[in-house]
Each structure stands twice: as structure tokens, then as C-alpha cells.
Amino acid sequence: NAGVTQTPKFRILKIGQSMTLQCAQDMNHNYMYWYRQDPGMGLKLIYYSVGAGITDKGEVPNGYNVSRSTTEDFPLRLELAAPSQTSVYFCASSPMGAGTDTQYFGPGTRLTVL
Amino acid sequence: GENVEQHPSTLSVQEGDSAVIKCTYSDSASNYFPWYKQELGKGPQLIIDIRSNVGEKKDQRIAVTLNKTAKHFSLHITETQPEDSAVYFCAASNYGQNFVFGPGTRLSVLP
């Protein structure tokens, strides 16, 4: 198993540009999450999904959109990039409903908006 | 909504000593409390977790205690080693939804 994979690893955007951060997991987990981590800070939940076709807002959803058309993929969309979105983005998945809440994290995407 | 506080923000211990990190949460509906270790440039990795129906859990040198009444839980690391140096995060969630993380504790184990 590859676990949770994220692409790209690094990206620099100009203000106003858009992009999609990709996240995929091959563990057949039903729950998936997107977090951002600002320098020296904890993780903030952006969006999460409890299954294909179902998404919900976390603590900091403004400026982002998500979709979950398959169990495996959970892309995060930034429509109009702003400097405040400079951060490291982590995707995670969890086999909720299988007796554990454990989250498995991807390696992260480092995004800089200039 | 849920709010998680974590103390201390930095902690330095001598190799072989114990380290204790404490977290408090606000939402009594939270029922799952994981601890993560994050090394530089990597994603968080679960090291131990506890559910609200358990008061204590231990895994070798690592233990977590939970006090539901006081709404706080703690991470205990005994016989610390240099490789324990990292940032540690606590978190709280309700049935795997809406995880809220603490701000983190930077642990340094001095040889």
C-alpha cells in the first residue's frame, strides 16, 4: 500500500491564480480530511468527508472547495489564491466505522502564494 | 465548537528523564483523543490514542491519561531518548468528525 499520497510536493502561486491539491489513498478508508499548518502552529481542519459524495466544512473552509466523487480521491481546490493561503497542506484518511478513529497523514504540500 | 489547549509550548529534558505534556478540551461530546508526533518536514504520525471510555493507556515508554470530568488528557514519555525530539500535538474529535488540534509542544531531549 502507498498509503496517503499528495501531489504536488511544492507549489508557488501568484495572487489570484487557482490550483487543485491532489490527495489519494489506497486503504479503502471512508473518512478523509484536509488540514493546513501555518509555520510553528498546529493543524487546522479545512474540510472533511465521511464518504463518497459527502463533504462538510471544518474550522477554516473559506477560500477552499472540495469534492469526493470516489472513495480514493479527495482533491482540494483553491479558486483565487491569496497570500493568507501560504501554508503546508496535509491530507489524511481514517477507517472510521472499522473500529478505529486513527488518522493516516500524507507527506504534505508546501504552497506559497506571492 | 471544540477548543483544545496544550501546555507547555516548549519542553527540554535530559536524556533518560520523563516528559509530560498536558491538553484540555472544551466540548464534553468529544470522545477520541489522539497524540501525534511530527518530525521536521513530515506529516504527523499517531503515537498513541485514547477513547473517552478509558482512563489510561500505555504503549512501552508512552502513556496517555484522560480525566473526562476535568476535560484534560496528558501524554507521558518515560526514559526519553534523543529520537523523541519532535513536535507533539494533541487532538480531540467526536466520532472521527471535526478534529481539533492543540497548538503543539516542541520537545527537545538533551544528551
Side-chain angles (χ1 to χ4, degrees):
Chain A
N1 284 354
V4 179
T5 57
Q6 292 183 238
T7 56
K9 286 185 171 28
F10 305 94
R11 184 73 185 268
I12 297 175
L13 282 182
K14 294 183 180 178
I15 294 172
Q17 286 186 320
S18 61
M19 77 163 293
T20 299
L21 282 67
Q22 301 291 346
C23 174
Q25 52 93 8
D26 61 359
M27 298 175 282
N28 201 32
H29 289 172
N30 49 350
Y31 281 47
M32 294 187 75
Y33 310 81
W34 272 108
Y35 294 89
R36 60 175 287 172
Q37 184 176 33
D38 298 334
M41 305 290 284
L43 285 78
K44 300 274 188 192
L45 183 63
I46 305 171
Y47 271 96
Y48 66 99
S49 168
V50 302
I54 306 170
T55 62
D56 210 345
K57 296 178 181 179
E59 188 178 354
V60 290
N62 291 345
Y64 307 94
N65 280 300
V66 293
S67 59
R68 183 98 182 269
S69 57
T70 67
T71 299
E72 294 78 19
D73 300 298
F74 191 39
L76 177 72
R77 179 85 177 161
L78 283 72
E79 290 294 350
L80 292 170
S84 60
Q85 293 177 307
T86 294
S87 192
V88 180
Y89 291 83
F90 289 102
C91 179
S93 71
S94 173
M96 268 297 295
T100 176
D101 300 0
T102 302
Q103 289 187 313
Y104 298 84
F105 283 83
T109 294
R110 185 175 296 274
L111 176 67
T112 302
V113 182
L114 301 174
Chain B
E2 175 67 278
N3 181 52
V4 177
E5 297 183 355
Q6 184 173 347
H7 299 280
S9 56
T10 60
L11 179 60
S12 292
V13 299
Q14 290 295 134
E15 183 177 356
D17 287 350
S18 296
V20 180
I21 303 170
K22 298 181 179 180
C23 287
T24 61
Y25 62 99
S26 61
D27 188 351
S28 56
S30 291
N31 61 0
Y32 176 65
F33 307 94
W35 285 91
Y36 294 89
K37 177 182 180 182
Q38 187 176 30
E39 297 174 334
L40 194 63
K42 297 185 178 180
Q45 185 173 16
L46 180 75
I47 55 171
I48 197 167
D49 56 8
I50 193 167
R51 294 182 181 275
S52 58
N53 59 349
V54 175
E56 183 174 359
K57 184 176 178 181
K58 188 173 182 180
D59 183 5
Q60 299 182 346
R61 296 186 297 110
I62 295 172
V64 56
T65 59
L66 171 66
N67 183 326
K68 280 196 305 181
T69 303
K71 296 197 189 70
H72 66 71
F73 55 112
S74 299
L75 176 70
H76 305 253
I77 306 174
T78 59
E79 301 172 18
T80 53
Q81 301 166 3
E83 51 265 37
D84 293 329
S85 296
V87 179
Y88 291 82
F89 294 98
C90 63
S93 85
N94 184 1
Y95 291 103
Q97 300 189 33
N98 213 15
F99 276 82
V100 177
F101 279 69
T105 296
R106 183 173 299 278
L107 173 65
S108 298
V109 180
L110 309 174

